[in-house]
Amino acid sequence: MGKIYDTIIIGGGPAGLSAGLYGARSRMSTLVIEQGKFGGQIVTTDEVENYPGCEKNSTGSSIIARMKEQCDGFGVEFIKETVVEVCLDGDIKKAVCNKNTYEGKTIIIATGAYPRQSGFQNELEFRGKGVSYCATCDADFFTDLDVAVIGGGDSAISEAIYLTKFCESVTVIHRRDALRAAKSLQERAFNNPKIKFIWNSIPEKAFGDEILEGLVIKNKVTGETSELKVDGCFVFVGYIPITELFVGKVNLSEDKYIITDDDMKTNIPGVFAAGDVRVKSLRQVITAAADGAIAATTAEKYIESLE
């Protein structure tokens, strides 16, 4: 019979790594399964200023590298595989991957979320040819060019500000007449001479000859359409939780986030969720890390209750 871990963590972002750190540090045998790059969305963030205690000029990648180093120091095992199925009932849970099946007394789901598409015509056709979902990844390609940003929340406005370091101009297109971003971000954006705003509007269509040349914009109030010539379009209109594996296995909200209590417990004993994948009011690195710590600590108490 193979090894039975105390906890298996699915996902290697801040929530998963924090859970790994707390789990291994409390002497639990801990496995983190990650299918892609460790770090999740934060590794696409150029500058992290709001994670308490982080050093000046910290990047998403540098914070994740340190988190992983800490996990290594306490003996967390890491495996790069894709989980294709989970068996959550009973005392021993299973994470079935492409190559192997892993067993654990508890499972912590930390699969995160991914960017939502805006839904305008030709959006996917121009993805990677002018349409992007990550300013940190792609801003450099648009040096001295004109770009649009779709959205009005924290991520949209912080990315718009970041883009001004590279781009000639940044036009924020927002479906409402006021931003939803934090007031401090709004002030910075309104005071930045490179940022312009188009209110009450949505992109209807992207156009260009092989690469993006512009957008057709529709005003939701008047119904009028106009063309905006841009070389790039950055879409920041929210996220979709990565929960396909867990449909019908744990309780989900209407928009498919995992429902937990304050201790990160799902409705299945021994199964916990942490980070962006769960129902919560603030999705930030600090709340993901906090979730991971709570989930691992609760998992430890759960295991004690079995013994």
Side-chain angles (χ1 to χ4, degrees):
M1 189 170 167
K3 179 174 183 177
I4 296 175
Y5 292 89
D6 288 322
T7 190
I8 295 172
I9 299 158
I10 305 173
L17 293 176
S18 173
L21 174 61
Y22 272 76
R25 194 165 178 268
S26 61
R27 302 291 187 268
M28 290 201 290
S29 55
T30 303
L31 173 69
V32 175
I33 305 173
E34 169 56 57
Q35 66 176 2
K37 236 187 200 177
F38 286 100
Q41 291 175 60
I42 189 183
V43 293
T44 67
T45 303
D46 172 68
E47 199 175 349
V48 178
E49 296 178 319
N50 58 357
Y51 189 64
C54 67
E55 293 183 2
K56 206 169 181 182
N57 301 321
S58 287
T59 64
S61 296
S62 69
I63 288 173
I64 288 301
R66 178 63 186 130
M67 281 185 177
K68 190 164 182 301
E69 193 180 294
Q70 287 175 291
C71 287
D72 287 330
F74 285 105
V76 175
E77 288 183 48
F78 290 99
I79 285 169
K80 284 204 129 183
E81 280 200 53
T82 299
V83 180
V84 293
E85 192 186 340
V86 288
C87 305
L88 304 180
D89 296 326
D91 287 345
I92 302 301
K93 324 293 182 188
K94 291 181 183 176
V96 182
C97 297
N98 288 332
K99 298 174 187 169
N100 302 290
T101 295
Y102 302 95
E103 295 185 323
K105 296 174 186 174
T106 63
I107 279 184
I108 297 172
I109 302 165
T111 45
Y114 63 90
R116 186 184 297 277
Q117 292 166 14
S118 180
F120 54 84
Q121 196 178 331
N122 299 332
E123 179 174 359
L124 288 181
E125 284 81 350
F126 284 107
R127 184 169 190 166
K129 299 174 184 176
V131 172
S132 172
Y133 302 84
C134 173
T136 315
C137 318
D138 297 333
D140 193 39
F141 298 128
F142 299 94
T143 300
D144 298 330
L145 299 177
D146 301 308
V147 301
V149 165
I150 314 300
D154 282 358
S155 60
I157 301 309
S158 60
E159 299 288 20
I161 293 165
Y162 174 71
L163 285 164
T164 61
K165 297 178 183 178
F166 300 83
C167 304
E168 180 67 28
S169 74
V170 178
T171 302
V172 174
I173 301 164
H174 187 40
R175 59 172 53 240
R176 300 183 179 87
D177 60 359
L179 300 175
R180 291 177 292 112
K183 289 290 185 282
S184 59
L185 282 173
Q186 291 193 38
E187 283 170 16
R188 286 173 64 192
F190 291 140
N191 290 328
N192 191 314
K194 285 190 173 184
I195 300 180
K196 298 175 270 191
F197 295 87
I198 297 177
W199 304 104
N200 294 316
S201 298
I202 54 171
E204 205 167 54
K205 179 182 177 183
F207 62 86
D209 182 14
E210 293 193 13
I211 62 167
L212 183 73
E213 293 172 18
L215 300 169
V216 175
I217 310 293
K218 182 177 182 179
N219 185 298
K220 292 181 70 189
V221 178
T222 65
E224 289 175 20
T225 59
S226 58
E227 284 190 4
L228 176 70
K229 291 289 179 73
V230 286
D231 305 287
C233 173
F234 289 82
V235 179
F236 304 108
V237 291
Y239 292 89
I240 296 171
I242 301 169
T243 51
E244 299 90 344
L245 277 177
F246 312 107
V247 174
K249 305 212 169 177
V250 296
N251 286 347
L252 304 177
S253 66
E254 272 184 35
D255 46 3
K256 300 290 189 286
Y257 287 91
I258 296 175
I259 298 167
T260 71
D261 65 8
D262 290 345
D263 291 326
M264 308 299 135
K265 294 176 183 173
T266 68
N267 61 305
I268 305 294
V271 179
F272 311 90
D276 287 3
V277 75
R278 75 180 193 92
V279 174
K280 58 196 299 188
S281 60
L282 182 65
R283 291 186 171 86
Q284 295 281 301
V285 183
I286 187 169
T287 61
D291 286 358
I294 295 166
T297 305
T298 311
E300 184 192 7
K301 288 175 183 168
Y302 168 80
I303 291 168
E304 283 174 4
S305 76
L306 295 179
E307 292 168 352

